[in-house]
């Protein structure tokens, strides 16, 4: 039997098949168009000749789609005829048939008004109208889909080429990505009332609290039981959207009108869940997400019970908002299970155009700590899209395509991620060009060379995220905290940083860093604050705390309290129960860390054009802070910036006994702010020009966001070698200067 596994290779995890390592890239071609196949033999042959040896083939169970295995065999046999040394991972759909949903109404998503709302399920290979979405934590679905999965497994193992099948990529939920479609409805009803979820909720609460008395003490209620806990009513989760909606839509307003009052709803403090009134909402949402994660673990366990040498993975883990549709908040449960080898997701769909970058959604270095991998679905659009979509992606010719594919591959190379090229055109077409075959061939050789080197990351910045915070802040607020930063700023700072959950700071295997940026860590217990302090103190690091880091301690007597932020940062804080613009300016003679920043420039959110590759969206999102955590002007605290609207401190710096705190009251900020914070912390900056930078100890990729002269600085003396031009730019130097046009990509090897 073929032995496929993920294990460390030169420092970080990699895919091994029968002892041979397989670096990126891999491929997925959409050939299965609902009821027929369209397969291009030559396309597979040319991809194989270009060095692609691992393929994800889309497949469904016979339970869902009779004839699905015959379709899989047709594609697999053609692939193996054209690429005899190829290996296959099944992208296996676990969706139930419509008839199952009709027969099992208790296993479907039920809303607060008792209704089952029709759902249109869409995947790459199947599409149908369902009476409602099936619950992703249904025990009966787990049982029946598990039986179908094992029947598929047995059928695959009976094939004469079974040794070429090395893994199962588990697909469920809408678009096979483990999320609920249209869970929040405009009529005000909301899900969570199916018997399937109620059982999952009871299991979660029983594991956490253990008794009815402990549950009531935590929820500050009477009469609650683990067997029949109250589902939080809609008005306890108004913070998800109503706060911003009322601020942005105050009714008729004139320039002479008074500022509208802060919205007052039920269980919220501005854009935050009032956990002092409704901890049960936090528990409810966490159980909702963990139910989905538990299903991923369930199906992966079935595969691993048959063979520990089959790879298992799923579309899961995009770190985004924590509402009912989100897929953010059960990642650590999956990574810690020991039965899942990789998780996957496409990149964000904004800012992918020429001159931008494709932000990846997963907290990837948390995977590395657990010997798991993140595999990026690289559905990189090219000039081959139709003219309607070309205007979204702004890729009009082969030059644009080549440079964007170089950029996206450069991210994977420098940030040590695996990925597959995903051609969603039926039968292929997105990458079916001589120039692209040549590019892929070149990149496969670069990737193979990179795997011969020391792959241990030695970055100096860590970006820290939290799985509970998405449940406690509004959808818009979390998007601004995480997605705007991740999509528009993080890759323009001029360096590469690693990404972890705050829980990882207590892991002795997590490396130490000079700078830690706490992106959305608003929910921290006292023990978690202590673990963070211990990590920061190891090498007198600098911490940048964004917005309301540590504001909520779910174990404290007063759970939402600026005192928690004060304790975390060392800077006295107050909470202003109002809303204000996030715009601020740095002050003259403020703090030396930010002396290079223009005191006349406005900071506080991303000013980048927000262009989507899948819809006609082109705007700058503007938001309000509500409420506002404000640093107090006190001894030892240096005010570096002030809000334009109120004059309150917005950025404050304090040198604590064992680490330096930089507190920023806003949810996001521009790349140059983080660049100066990194410089102050002693980090190496590769580039100052706001271009897209991906860097490691072995390679640097630059994608030009503007035309003109560029300068790259290297952390040590090297002879930078451009891997596509196959020439050195200099000998034994610590910097190079050269000219680029907007959208051009260069990748330099800097190892000796």
């Amino acid at each position: 039997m073929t032995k496929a596994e993920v294990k460390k290779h030169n420092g970080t995890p990699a895919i091994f098949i029968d002892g041979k390592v397989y670096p990126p890239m891999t491929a997925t071609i959409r050939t299965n168009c609902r009821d027929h196949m369209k397969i291009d033999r030559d396309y597979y042959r040319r991809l194989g000749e270009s060095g692609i040896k691992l393929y994800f083939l889309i497949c469904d169970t016979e339970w869902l789609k009779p004839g699905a295995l015959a379709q899989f065999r047709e594609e697999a046999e053609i692939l193996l005829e054209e690429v005899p040394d190829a290996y296959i991972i099944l992208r296996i759909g676990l969706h139930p048939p419509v008839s199952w949903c009709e027969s099992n109404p208790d296993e479907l998503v039920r809303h607060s008004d008792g209704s089952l709302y029709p759902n249109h399920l869409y995947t790459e290979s199947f599409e149908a109208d369902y009476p409602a979405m099936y619950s992703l934590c249904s025990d009966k679905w787990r049982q029946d889909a598990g039986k179908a999965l094992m029947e598929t497994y047995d059928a695959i193992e009976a094939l004469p080429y079974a040794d070429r099948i090395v893994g199962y990529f588990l697909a469920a939920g809408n678009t096979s990505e483990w999320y609920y479609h249209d869970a929040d409805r405009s009529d005000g009803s909301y899900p969570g009332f199916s018997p399937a979820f109620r059982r999952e909720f009871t299991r979660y609460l029983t594991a956490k609290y253990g008794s009815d008395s402990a549950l009531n003490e935590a929820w500050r209620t009477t009469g609650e039981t683990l067997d029949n806990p109250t589902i939080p009513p809609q008005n306890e989760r108004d913070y998800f959207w109503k706060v911003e909606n009322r601020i942005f839509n105050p009714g008729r307003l004139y320039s002479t009108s008074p500022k509208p009052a802060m919205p007052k709803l039920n269980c919220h403090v501005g854009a935050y869940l009032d956990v002092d009134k409704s901890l049960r909402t936090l528990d409810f949402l966490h159980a909702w997400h963990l139910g989905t994660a538990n299903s991923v673990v369930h199906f992966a366990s079935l595969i691993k019970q048959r063979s520990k040498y089959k790879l298992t993975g799923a579309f899961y883990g995009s770190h985004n908002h924590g509402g009912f549709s989100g897929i953010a908040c059960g990642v650590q449960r999956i990574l810690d299970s020991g039965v899942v080898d990789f998780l996957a997701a496409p990149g964000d769909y904004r800012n992918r155009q020429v001159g931008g970058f494709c932000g990846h959604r997963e907290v990837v270095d948390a995977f590395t700590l657990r010997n798991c991998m993140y595999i990026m679905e690289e559905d990189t659009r090219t000039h081959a899209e139709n003219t309607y979509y070309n205007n979204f992606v702004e890729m009009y010719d082969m030059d644009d395509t080549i440079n964007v594919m170089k950029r996206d591959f450069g991210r994977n190379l420098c940030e040590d991620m695996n990925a597959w090229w995903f051609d969603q055109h039926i039968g292929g077409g997105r990458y079916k060009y001589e120039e692209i075959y040549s590019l892929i061939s070149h990149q496969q050789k670069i990737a193979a060379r990179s795997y011969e080197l020391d792959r241990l990351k030695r970055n100096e910045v860590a970006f820290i995220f939290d799985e509970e915070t998405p449940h406690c802040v509004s959808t818009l607020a979390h998007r601004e905290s995480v997605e705007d930063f991740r999509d528009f700023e993080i890759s323009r700072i001029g360096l590469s940083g690693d990404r972890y959950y705050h829980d990882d700071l207590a892991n002795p295997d997590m490396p130490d860093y000079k700078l830690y940026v706490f992106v959305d860590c608003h929910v921290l217990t006292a023990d978690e604050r202590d673990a963070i302090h211990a990590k920061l103190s190891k090498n007198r690091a600098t911490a940048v705390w964004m917005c309301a880091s540590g504001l909520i301690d779910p174990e404290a007597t007063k759970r939402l309290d600026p005192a928690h932020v004060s304790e975390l940062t060392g800077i006295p804080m107050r909470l202003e129960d109002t809303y204000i613009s996030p715009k601020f300016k740095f002050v003259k003679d403020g703090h030396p860390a930010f002396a290079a920043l223009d005191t006349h420039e406005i900071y506080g959110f991303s000013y980048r054009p927000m262009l989507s590759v899948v819809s006609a969206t082109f705007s700058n999102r503007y938001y309000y802070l509500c409420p506002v955590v404000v640093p107090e002007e006190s001894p030892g605290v240096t005010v570096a910036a002030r809000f334009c609207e109120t004059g309150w401190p917005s950025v404050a710096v304090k040198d604590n006994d064992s680490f330096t705190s930089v507190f920023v009251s806003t949810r996001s900020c521009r790349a140059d702010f983080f660049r100066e914070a990194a410089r102050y912390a002693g980090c190496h900056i590769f580039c100052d020009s706001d271009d897209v930078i991906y860097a490691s100890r072995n390679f640097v990729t630059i994608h030009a966001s503007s035309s003109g002269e560029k300068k790259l600085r290297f952390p040590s003396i090297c002879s930078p070698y451009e891997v596509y031009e196959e020439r050195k730019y200099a000998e034994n130097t610590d910097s190079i200067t050269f000219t680029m046009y907007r959208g051009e990509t260069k990748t330099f090897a800097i190892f000796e």
Side-chain angles (χ1 to χ4, degrees), residues 577-643:
D577 188 19
T578 187
Y579 67 94
I580 67 169
S581 163
K583 295 180 179 180
F584 67 80
K585 293 182 180 180
F586 284 93
V587 299
K588 185 178 181 181
D589 301 324
H591 193 278
F594 307 108
L597 298 180
D598 185 353
T599 58
H600 296 278
E601 188 59 80
I602 294 176
Y603 288 81
F605 63 101
S606 179
Y607 281 76
R608 314 287 179 185
M610 296 185 177
L611 182 65
S612 171
V613 303
V614 293
S615 62
T617 302
F618 191 89
S619 64
N620 284 99
R621 179 185 289 151
Y622 180 75
Y623 67 90
Y624 287 92
L625 292 170
C626 57
V628 192
V629 179
V630 181
E632 298 278 21
E633 300 187 57
S634 56
V637 175
T638 301
V639 175
R642 294 183 180 275
F643 284 111

Side-chain angles (χ1 to χ4, degrees), residues 24-95:
M25 301 287 289
T26 64
T28 302
I29 312 300
R30 186 181 177 195
T31 59
N32 192 328
C33 186
R34 309 293 185 264
D35 58 352
H36 67 279
M37 303 286 284
K38 182 179 179 182
I39 304 171
D40 186 332
R41 284 179 172 270
D42 182 66
Y43 195 18
Y44 273 132
R45 179 177 59 81
R46 296 301 305 274
L47 288 173
E49 291 171 349
S50 300
I52 303 291
K53 302 301 180 182
L54 186 57
Y55 296 81
F56 289 76
L57 300 192
I58 297 170
C59 181
D60 292 300
T61 65
E62 292 287 325
W63 181 48
L64 174 71
K65 186 178 175 182
L69 283 176
Q71 289 184 328
F72 167 76
R73 290 196 302 271
E74 179 184 358
E75 182 174 10
E77 288 161 14
I78 289 173
L79 167 63
L80 293 172
E81 287 170 8
E82 299 302 326
V83 190
D85 57 347
Y87 288 101
I88 296 167
I89 296 176
L90 266 74
R91 181 164 159 170
I92 180 74
L94 299 171
H95 319 281

Side-chain angles (χ1 to χ4, degrees), residues 389-655:
Y389 278 100
N390 268 340
N391 287 316
F392 299 158
V393 300
E394 294 186 345
M395 295 174 64
Y396 298 105
D397 54 33
M398 182 60 72
D399 186 63
D400 291 338
T401 292
I402 294 295
N403 276 297
V404 167
M405 290 184 69
K406 285 181 179 179
R407 178 196 70 195
D408 292 352
F409 173 79
R411 179 203 55 236
N412 302 335
L413 178 73
C414 296
E415 300 198 350
D416 198 28
M417 302 190 306
N418 213 309
W420 66 74
W421 297 117
F422 188 19
D423 194 333
Q424 292 163 296
H425 298 194
I426 305 299
R430 186 169 276 170
Y431 314 118
K432 200 182 292 185
Y433 297 89
E434 290 296 329
E435 297 92 333
I436 296 180
Y437 294 140
S438 177
L439 175 68
I440 290 174
S441 178
H442 200 155
Q443 289 176 336
Q444 291 302 104
K445 294 172 185 174
I446 296 167
R449 178 70 179 101
S450 75
Y451 267 42
E452 296 173 357
L453 305 171
D454 181 355
R455 296 171 60 228
L456 267 178
K457 288 190 173 184
R458 288 175 173 81
N459 288 327
E460 297 174 313
V461 180
F463 299 101
I464 311 299
F465 300 87
D466 175 35
E467 281 198 299
E468 287 186 295
T469 290
H471 300 320
C472 293
V473 300
S474 72
T475 299
L476 180 59
H478 198 255
R479 283 174 175 165
E480 288 152 357
S481 291
V482 173
E483 295 179 42
D484 286 358
F485 173 58
R486 183 178 62 201
D487 293 357
F488 299 98
E489 305 301 328
I490 195 170
S491 294
R492 288 191 169 101
I493 295 172
L495 48 73
S496 280
D498 298 340
R499 307 183 193 199
Y500 297 93
Y501 296 109
H502 72 76
D503 312 70
D504 298 324
L505 275 73
N507 187 327
D509 294 331
M510 179 181 170
D512 297 329
Y513 295 86
K514 294 180 179 179
L515 176 67
Y516 298 81
V517 178
F518 292 84
V519 179
D520 68 334
C521 298
H522 301 165
V523 183
L524 297 170
T525 66
D527 288 345
E528 289 166 346
R529 292 194 297 269
D530 288 345
I532 290 170
H533 288 159
K535 187 68 168 177
L536 296 177
S537 300
K538 287 183 66 176
N539 59 346
R540 294 192 60 82
T542 297
V544 173
W545 316 96
M546 298 302 299
C547 189
S549 298
L551 177 65
I552 295 171
D553 181 345
E555 297 178 356
T557 301
K558 187 176 181 182
R559 293 167 176 158
L560 192 152
D561 192 341
H564 304 320
V565 188
S566 303
E567 183 180 344
L568 177 66
T569 65
I571 300 172
M573 300 287 174
R574 70 178 190 270
L575 189 70
E576 294 285 349
D577 188 19
T578 187
Y579 67 94
I580 67 169
S581 163
K583 295 180 179 180
F584 67 80
K585 293 182 180 180
F586 284 93
V587 299
K588 185 178 181 181
D589 301 324
H591 193 278
F594 307 108
L597 298 180
D598 185 353
T599 58
H600 296 278
E601 188 59 80
I602 294 176
Y603 288 81
F605 63 101
S606 179
Y607 281 76
R608 314 287 179 185
M610 296 185 177
L611 182 65
S612 171
V613 303
V614 293
S615 62
T617 302
F618 191 89
S619 64
N620 284 99
R621 179 185 289 151
Y622 180 75
Y623 67 90
Y624 287 92
L625 292 170
C626 57
V628 192
V629 179
V630 181
E632 298 278 21
E633 300 187 57
S634 56
V637 175
T638 301
V639 175
R642 294 183 180 275
F643 284 111
C644 299
E645 181 178 328
T646 62
W648 298 335
S650 58
V651 179
V653 184
K654 184 181 179 184
D655 185 4

Side-chain angles (χ1 to χ4, degrees), residues 278-298:
S278 184
L279 185 65
R280 65 185 178 187
T281 298
L282 175 57
D283 280 332
F284 170 71
L285 290 169
H286 204 194
W288 183 267
H289 284 254
L290 282 178
T292 301
N294 288 336
S295 292
V296 173
V297 172
H298 168 77

